[in-house]
Amino acid sequence: MKDYLIFAIFMYLVKKKQTTAKQIAREFEISPRSVYRYIDALSLLGVPLITKIGKGGGIEVIGNYHLENLMLSKDEKTTLFEFIQRIDIPENIVKIIKKII
């Protein structure tokens, strides 16, 4: 499940541009501490993230980062949709994945 959360959080951050650990925790029904572990994992994977503390702070993707090759063919979308139907992941994550396919 960790891989799904990392990917879902990544997509959430790309879409939102800036958010807080608390907002991510609420969205994915995890603890803020877990959010920071996933943010660390994304950073290690090379996603350019920055965290700011204080009012107006939060977590954001640096620059205009996006996935170049996220376009999926119809067959790839069908395969991904069928896969997420067969595995046991929380419904909120299924909704997020459906939005991107």
Side-chain angles (χ1 to χ4, degrees):
M1 172 133 128
K2 181 179 176 181
D3 295 338
Y4 304 112
L5 276 174
I6 290 172
F7 181 71
I9 290 170
F10 167 73
M11 295 306 300
Y12 184 81
L13 284 168
V14 168
K15 183 177 180 182
K16 289 284 191 176
K17 300 293 182 200
Q18 181 177 358
T19 189
T20 65
K22 195 175 195 177
Q23 289 169 324
I24 294 170
R26 256 186 267 133
E27 179 73 23
F28 295 99
E29 299 175 1
I30 58 176
S31 72
R33 185 175 180 167
S34 292
V35 170
Y36 287 114
R37 281 195 302 270
Y38 294 130
I39 294 303
D40 286 343
L42 285 169
S43 291
L44 288 172
L45 290 170
V47 177
L49 298 172
I50 189 167
T51 57
K52 298 176 186 175
I53 59 173
K55 187 175 180 174
I59 304 162
E60 67 181 277
V61 178
I62 299 172
N64 192 19
Y65 188 81
H66 61 281
L67 286 177
E68 294 287 331
N69 298 318
L70 191 59
M71 301 304 291
L72 302 174
S73 70
K74 185 176 180 181
D75 289 339
E76 290 170 331
K77 288 179 183 181
T78 301
T79 301
L80 184 56
F81 183 74
E82 289 170 356
F83 176 73
I84 64 172
Q85 296 297 326
R86 284 188 256 140
I87 59 176
D88 185 29
I89 57 176
E91 185 60 31
N92 62 333
I93 294 176
V94 171
K95 287 179 186 176
I96 292 167
I97 293 171
K98 285 180 181 179
K99 286 181 183 179
I100 63 171
I101 62 170

